[in-house]
Amino acid sequence: MFHWESQSATREDSRDGRRYVHHAEQGSTVHLFIRATDAGAPPYLYAGPMTYRGHEGERPMRILWDLAHPLPADVFHYAKVNTG
């Protein structure tokens, strides 16, 4: 799973909120790119497709995504350290 927060004004009934929640039934795929800030690291790492699992709140929406593939161990550690 991957936890992500939308932009601060996004509500479930907004155009973007509906797009996140209903992406699969609308025929679109969401892909995760992770930005590493370490010097010398590639600007983004492609982590693969993900599917909406659920969310809490609005403004911002706190969305849980199911990842199609597990994150590599070093990327998982980096993400966990930087988010707490």
Side-chain angles (χ1 to χ4, degrees):
M1 280 191 297
F2 186 82
H3 174 262
W4 177 78
E5 287 191 2
S6 69
Q7 294 77 14
S8 62
T10 305
R11 300 174 52 95
E12 182 179 356
D13 64 354
S14 70
R15 183 193 64 160
D16 288 337
R18 289 189 307 269
R19 186 171 47 120
Y20 299 141
V21 172
H22 302 290
H23 75 91
E25 59 201 61
Q26 294 172 351
S28 67
T29 306
V30 177
H31 297 265
L32 177 62
F33 290 82
I34 299 171
R35 174 182 261 170
T37 58
D38 295 339
Y44 291 94
L45 169 74
Y46 177 61
M50 54 188 193
T51 306
Y52 174 83
R53 179 184 189 118
H55 77 276
E56 293 181 353
E58 295 185 302
R59 302 179 68 176
M61 292 174 67
R62 293 177 301 282
I63 301 176
L64 284 177
W65 301 95
D66 283 324
L67 299 171
H69 312 285
L71 293 176
D74 59 334
V75 174
F76 179 80
H77 175 74
Y78 171 82
K80 185 163 180 59
V81 166
N82 283 303
T83 60

